[in-house]
Amino acid sequence: MQDASSPEELSGWAAVLLRSDAHELAAILVDASQTVVATNGAAAALFDRNVVGEPLLESFEPGSRIKLARALETGGTCELLLRGSENDAPRVVRFAVLPEAGARRVLVGASNGQIWYSEAQGRELLRRNDELGVLSRQLARQAQELGQARTRLEHLNALRQQLTATLAHDLRNPLSAVGLVARELGRLGQGLPLTRVSALARRLERSVLRMARLIDTVLAAVRLEEDEIALDRTSTSLEDVVREAIDALAPLADERHVSVACAARGDTRALVDATWMGQVLDNLLANAIRHAPQGSAVRVAISGDEQHVACSVSDQGPGVPPELREAIFDRFRQAGPHAGSAGLGLYVSRGVLELHGGRIWVEQPETGGARFCFEVPRATP
């Protein structure tokens, strides 16, 4: 193939004709400006020179240029007068004009300049080219779909490996605590004081709850990633959901000597899935308790207006730097030494709230610490 610059990937007849000289078909590829960008050897023989880079119309007699320009726009076949040299008369040639990608056209004619096919044969050539073009596009689309599926599979495999590593790391501490308590119980046996038994039982409970929360969060992240979360939204008191989450996290708060209080104002009924909102509140409250200094307080504020119910969870911890206030909601992103839930809690919370038509953000109160805020649609009375 002769070309001034490598053309884009070809399809259909263009790929066959322009890449082979083992026939007597002259093939010419022109771009949208009607400039020749590639030919095969048979075309060079037909024109008696290499016409790559030249305007196509200038190779034909003036009377044929209008006919050729029309064929380049609409396709079809046309008989043309090819300009001869100084001593040669013009030659009659017939070209079939075939569409190619990117508004380009392929002209196909006989290398000896003879009319070698009829109008009916030209129309059949165009029809077959159209069929080949449709097949090429279908194959290209299927190849793209296969590529997307492979990328998705690679992404899921990487996610699985990361989740496995995260679970192995984050479950190690609570499992170690359970093992230590079990060994102590076994060593002391029946002579263990009742107060010590109660303390060990509470420690076991906290460790088991921590593992359960971590597993729930990881499973929620997987379902969110796979778009498998189906919400069952009903009119739900967000204040009730908050207080249930506070009760469930009481062992963690007691362990860190952090108090948790809730204040509600206005109508707090929201159109939400109570189970998934409980997961959101559990994530936000556990995050606040872990970051709150011992002896400090975590405050939850809820308020409702005509359109939304807003909730904020504030702690007195180190806060979130401005440059991390968006990234902290990304998957596997953790901030600070007390981050938990495998770096998935805030990621899950944002995903669930967005499914509800809500939003979440973090800000820093004037008193310091961090305040995680979210809002969801209010339930219609």
Side-chain angles (χ1 to χ4, degrees), residues 298-313:
V298 170
R299 297 285 182 259
V300 183
I302 315 170
S303 62
D305 58 27
E306 294 181 356
Q307 294 183 325
H308 300 96
V309 176
C311 179
S312 66
V313 179

Side-chain angles (χ1 to χ4, degrees), residues 36-53:
V36 179
V37 295
T39 66
N40 65 355
L46 177 64
F47 286 98
D48 295 326
R49 69 185 191 280
N50 182 8
V51 293
V52 172

